Amino acid sequence: MCITKKISIIVPIYNEAGNILNLYSRLEGVLTTMPQFKWEYIFINDGSIDSSFEVLKTLADCDEKVKALDFSRNFGKEIALTAGAHEALNSDAVICIDGDLQHPPELIPILVNRWEEGAEIVVTIRTEIEKQPFFRRFGSYVYYWLMRKISGINLKAKTTDFRLYDKKVIQVFAKTTERERMFRGIMDWMGFRRSYVNFKAEARVNGQPAYSYGKLWRLAVNSLTSFSLWPLRLAGYLGVSISLISGILFLWMLANYVVMKVWIYTPLAMVVVVNTFLIGVVLMALGLVALYVGVIHTEVINRPLYIFRDRINC
Ligand code: UDP
Ligand code: MG
């Protein structure tokens, strides 16, 4: 059989020692049914503090399709995916999949099929998530709503990082230089022909979701503007609370007037409240400026995006 096309499977790994072998055997089960492609695994160990890299090393020793890259510290999933994509520049397609088995490898034949039909990005959409707390679902809903309103990008809700990208997309992606990045945000910005596949997400098999609310929040804010000057940002948050409190106070004063029909507050009190509100607005504007200054700040430093400690089979 003539093997023509090469597909790389990129897996970011952060404390997934208990999941790697399981994921690998499920992937192997699927990939052996598609021998017409040349397969390659790129595992990026994103500074795990468990034995993930040892497991990856053993795997790489047994199977030369497995490339294992070891970050010198935790750089975050977005950067791990980016490093994987940079590593796969000579592949015809790339499939990104989480290491915690929440993305069913059994979907891969469908993704590849869509790709062969002409899609350049095949996006999976989770239709249902088991055991996801309400707050997380609510946060995700608000985030996508905000993204659609604020940025020009049409982010489709509930899409995941489990995606297939054509070589063309990966080549263009390699030219993007921002450091505070959201992998799929950049991909969505790029355009290209897309196809969508629905799937039901499974609950995490082993370990804890590494994306705490804090990390998710950061990711959300990063993808809206990207910044790093938190003191200025703090001014913005302060502005929001000042405006909110004085705004409520002002409404309360008005409501009092409407209900009692007598003006019980001195004009000075009124001026003070309105003035405080405006101070809040100014602080908010400062916070907004900080968002943009932050972007410039991180771009100007121009540090390497990631640092490898070790590379196996590559
Ligand atoms: N991950 C990573 N670096 C991090 C956090 C997570 O490489 O700092 C990996 C993790 O090992 C998993 C994937 O990114 O393969 C998704 O992580 P998680 O399950 O915690 O996120 P969620 O499913 O909540 O999006
Ligand atoms: Mg997960």
Side-chain angles (χ1 to χ4, degrees), residues 98 100 102 204:
D98 276 5
D100 59 358
Q102 281 190 299
R204 210 172 211 292

Side-chain angles (χ1 to χ4, degrees), residues 22-277:
N22 204 343
L23 173 73
Y24 172 76
S25 62
R26 269 179 71 182
L27 279 167
E28 278 291 282
V30 174
L31 303 191
T32 45
T33 65
M34 307 167 81
Q36 69 272 36
F37 298 104
K38 186 174 183 320
W39 295 97
E40 166 191 76
Y41 297 97
I42 303 176
F43 286 95
I44 300 99
N45 177 38
D46 184 15
S48 299
I49 45 175
D50 66 355
S51 58
S52 292
F53 194 62
E54 279 63 50
V55 178
L56 288 178
K57 264 204 248 177
T58 324
L59 207 56
D61 282 344
C62 306
D63 183 352
E64 58 173 10
K65 295 199 300 296
V66 175
K67 287 183 175 179
L69 306 173
D70 190 22
F71 274 173
S72 59
R73 65 170 170 87
N74 179 252
F75 281 90
K77 179 187 177 184
E78 310 303 311
I79 305 289
L81 286 173
T82 305
H86 288 172
E87 209 54 43
L89 279 175
N90 61 357
S91 303
D92 294 289
V94 156
I95 296 173
C96 299
I97 186 168
D98 276 5
D100 59 358
L101 294 165
Q102 281 190 299
H103 298 156
E106 292 69 30
L107 225 59
I108 289 178
I110 302 175
L111 302 189
V112 173
N113 206 299
R114 297 281 178 91
W115 172 56
E116 288 186 305
E117 285 168 7
E120 288 152 324
I121 301 183
V122 187
V123 182
T124 65
I125 300 178
R126 7 164 242 228
T127 48
E128 193 183 311
I129 307 165
E130 282 155 19
K131 294 191 196 158
Q132 274 250 8
F134 166 78
F135 191 66
R136 206 156 172 130
R137 271 179 293 147
F138 177 72
S140 140
Y141 175 81
V142 171
Y143 167 72
Y144 282 109
W145 178 81
L146 211 67
M147 272 303 270
R148 271 198 298 271
K149 290 270 168 227
I150 291 178
S151 73
I153 311 168
N154 181 19
L155 269 192
K156 227 174 142 88
K158 296 188 181 162
T159 63
T160 68
D161 274 316
F162 183 24
R163 294 172 177 210
L164 181 147
Y165 300 101
D166 184 77
K167 183 175 188 148
K168 271 179 259 167
V169 183
I170 295 298
Q171 304 274 339
V172 181
F173 175 77
K175 292 188 185 135
T176 58
T177 55
E178 64 256 61
R179 19 229 66 243
E180 296 282 351
R181 50 175 59 212
M182 185 196 188
F183 191 80
R184 59 174 192 265
I186 299 177
M187 294 299 192
D188 286 338
W189 167 83
M190 288 200 303
F192 287 107
R193 261 197 311 275
R194 282 146 203 273
S195 177
Y196 296 92
V197 177
N198 289 329
F199 81 99
K200 196 167 147 250
E202 298 160 48
R204 210 172 211 292
V205 178
N206 267 312
Q208 288 293 314
Y211 268 98
S212 58
Y213 285 119
K215 269 195 180 174
L216 283 174
W217 170 252
R218 246 194 75 187
L219 188 65
V221 178
N222 265 348
S223 56
L224 286 172
T225 44
S226 317
F227 61 90
S228 68
L229 301 183
W230 69 267
L232 267 179
R233 232 166 63 216
L234 213 61
Y237 289 132
L238 196 68
V240 173
S241 26
I242 289 179
S243 285
L244 206 68
I245 294 169
S246 53
I248 291 172
L249 204 61
F250 183 70
L251 289 180
W252 169 257
M253 287 167 137
L254 278 187
N256 259 342
Y257 173 65
V258 171
V259 174
M260 298 187 201
K261 297 273 178 278
V262 281
W263 194 246
I264 51 174
Y265 301 101
T266 61
L268 182 66
M270 213 63 191
V271 170
V272 168
V273 169
V274 171
N275 203 29
T276 314
F277 179 80

